[in-house]
Amino acid sequence: MSKTIKKIGVMTSGGDSPGMNAAIRSVVRACVYHDIECYGIYRGYEGMIEGDFILLNARSVKGIINKGGTILKSARSKEFRTHEGRKKAHEQLTKAGIDALVVIGGDGSFTGAMIFSDEFDYHVIGIPGTIDNDIFGTTHTLGFDTACNTVVDVIDKIRDTASSHNRLFFVEVMGRDAGHIALNVGVGAGAEEILIPEEDLGLDRLLESLRRSKQSGKSSSIVIVAEGDKIGKSVFELKDYVEAHMTEYEVRVSVLGHMQRGGSPSCFDRVLASRMGVKAVESLLEGKNKYMVGLIKDQMSLTPLEKAIKGQSKIDLELLRVSDILTI
Ligand code: F6P
């Protein structure tokens, strides 16, 4: 028997990503549409434990669909990893009369949501919000498309100076321990080589690839390095290694860092967020619990949270093959 839901809480948790505000907007307005009260929970689980809630209406979320970041802030909460912390959070939600939760975040946030749901028989639905695109159960997480567009634009700029000085650039991109950003921006920006944790290129093959590029007449090269790459050297150590073994190259390094997490969300991410927010609210109203909303074959779908957390988001082997062919 699903309980009557009259108030829904929405929060953002973990690393922020462009599109989170569009998702918040969609959750709030879907609640208003269904005559449900919607409460924003500030600073993720930390704010939940403190009862840091705000009633939101359709007008509260005006003008944010195009804003990066999250108006509800985000935080990582050590206390929520304890039963006592989760108990405090549950007491705060109960006191506020909030019946169910939409959690916008990554697998760490979903793990907390699932444990919380089990401990307190509390209904939660997850929306995958992270630039890493490393969550099973969706082809796209919120922010991935925007981050790729941001990075491709930056690499185009780096390409200008690399070609002006006949230099080799190592460009490190985010992705925690997944190579989705690196692979997509590497193909999109026409990089000469892409180092991702899912494929152990190895130093010898890297040098061979760079030599081949040079021999084919390329005067400059861009190598994209996923931050989680397992080649065993940091991008700075790679620079030193290549300069020591290939004196014909002048090498520079760019570590893009947190700028990949910012910026106005792309249309794709805004539309994805809008679809996911409505799906999340209506799934809760249908009595669903412990699912993640995802995009599969361009349809909104639900994946059990446990599978989303434990599943592996696989690298696109066809895209990897395209990359190998086009870097000839
Ligand atoms: O998970 C998103 C992400 O941006 C990863 O790509 C990156 O490794 C990590 O967060 C950085 O975490 P923090 O924001 O805590 O430095």
Side-chain angles (χ1 to χ4, degrees):
M1 166 74 171
S2 65
K3 63 182 180 183
T4 310
I5 290 178
K6 292 309 286 172
K7 295 182 182 181
I8 287 177
V10 60
M11 58 181 269
T12 47
S13 175
D16 68 311
S17 71
M20 281 189 167
N21 278 327
I24 293 166
R25 171 179 177 272
S26 175
V27 167
V28 171
R29 291 193 175 177
C31 285
V32 170
Y33 178 84
H34 288 286
D35 195 22
I36 300 285
E37 280 192 352
C38 188
Y39 286 80
I41 298 165
Y42 281 113
R43 295 173 295 111
Y45 294 118
E46 206 62 33
M48 193 188 287
I49 290 169
E50 296 166 9
D52 195 359
F53 307 150
I54 181 169
L55 177 60
L56 297 170
N57 61 41
R59 301 285 67 80
S60 313
V61 290
K62 73 178 188 317
I64 67 168
I65 193 169
N66 59 326
K67 297 278 185 289
T70 161
I71 60 169
L72 294 178
K73 311 285 182 194
S74 181
R76 294 182 166 102
S77 169
K78 283 196 176 57
E79 195 178 1
F80 196 79
R81 292 168 185 260
T82 67
H83 176 70
E84 296 65 41
R86 293 190 292 269
K87 189 164 177 292
K88 279 187 208 169
H90 185 252
E91 285 160 1
Q92 294 284 13
L93 292 171
T94 306
K95 195 163 76 176
I98 297 173
D99 308 303
L101 270 184
V102 174
V103 177
I104 305 168
D107 50 6
S109 307
F110 294 163
T111 302
M114 199 169 70
I115 295 168
F116 184 77
S117 176
D118 290 339
E119 281 179 349
F120 301 100
D121 183 24
Y122 200 89
H123 285 204
V124 299
I125 294 285
I127 291 179
T130 170
I131 64 169
D132 299 352
N133 206 35
D134 60 348
I135 299 182
F136 179 85
T138 185
T139 54
H140 289 75
T141 57
L142 280 185
F144 172 63
D145 181 64
T146 303
C148 288
N149 290 329
T150 299
V151 174
V152 161
D153 182 52
V154 168
I155 295 170
D156 288 350
K157 291 177 167 66
I158 292 174
R159 171 84 63 187
D160 289 345
T161 180
S163 55
S164 301
H165 289 267
N166 293 342
R167 283 172 171 166
L168 160 63
F169 269 81
F170 284 109
V171 181
E172 183 190 273
V173 298
M174 280 188 159
R176 200 172 49 175
D177 45 25
H180 298 290
I181 294 176
L183 179 56
N184 280 269
V185 302
V187 173
E192 277 64 39
E193 201 49 74
I194 305 166
L195 304 183
I196 55 176
E198 295 85 352
E199 194 197 32
D200 181 10
L201 180 64
L203 288 168
D204 293 343
R205 277 187 53 201
L206 173 64
L207 291 184
E208 184 193 310
S209 167
L210 293 173
R211 282 197 184 96
R212 209 171 41 241
S213 291
K214 201 79 175 166
Q215 282 154 13
S216 72
K218 290 185 179 179
S219 58
S220 64
S221 286
I222 304 274
V223 177
I224 308 297
V225 185
E227 62 176 332
D229 175 66
K230 301 287 185 284
I231 204 165
K233 289 183 182 297
S234 74
V235 280
F236 297 99
E237 291 164 334
L238 278 176
K239 170 191 183 302
D240 296 342
Y241 183 86
V242 169
E243 280 184 334
H245 291 79
M246 296 183 74
T247 50
E248 66 271 33
Y249 266 121
E250 194 183 357
V251 187
R252 293 292 185 274
V253 172
S254 282
V255 176
L256 301 191
H258 285 69
M259 53 87 77
Q260 299 165 88
R261 292 246 290 262
S264 177
S266 63
C267 183
F268 179 88
D269 273 334
R270 297 181 199 191
V271 171
L272 181 63
S274 301
R275 295 172 74 185
M276 286 183 163
V278 170
K279 182 71 177 177
V281 169
E282 294 184 342
S283 298
L284 283 173
L285 297 182
E286 290 159 11
K288 299 249 181 13
N289 179 31
K290 290 194 291 184
Y291 284 95
M292 180 195 80
V293 177
L295 182 68
I296 296 179
K297 295 197 174 86
D298 198 35
Q299 296 302 306
M300 284 292 106
S301 62
L302 294 177
T303 299
L305 266 188
E306 188 167 15
K307 276 182 122 184
I309 292 162
K310 292 187 177 149
Q312 290 291 319
S313 69
K314 295 257 184 288
I315 209 77
D316 183 333
L317 296 177
E318 181 264 338
L319 182 58
L320 198 57
R321 182 169 174 274
V322 165
S323 154
D324 288 342
I325 292 170
L326 300 186
T327 48
I328 193 160

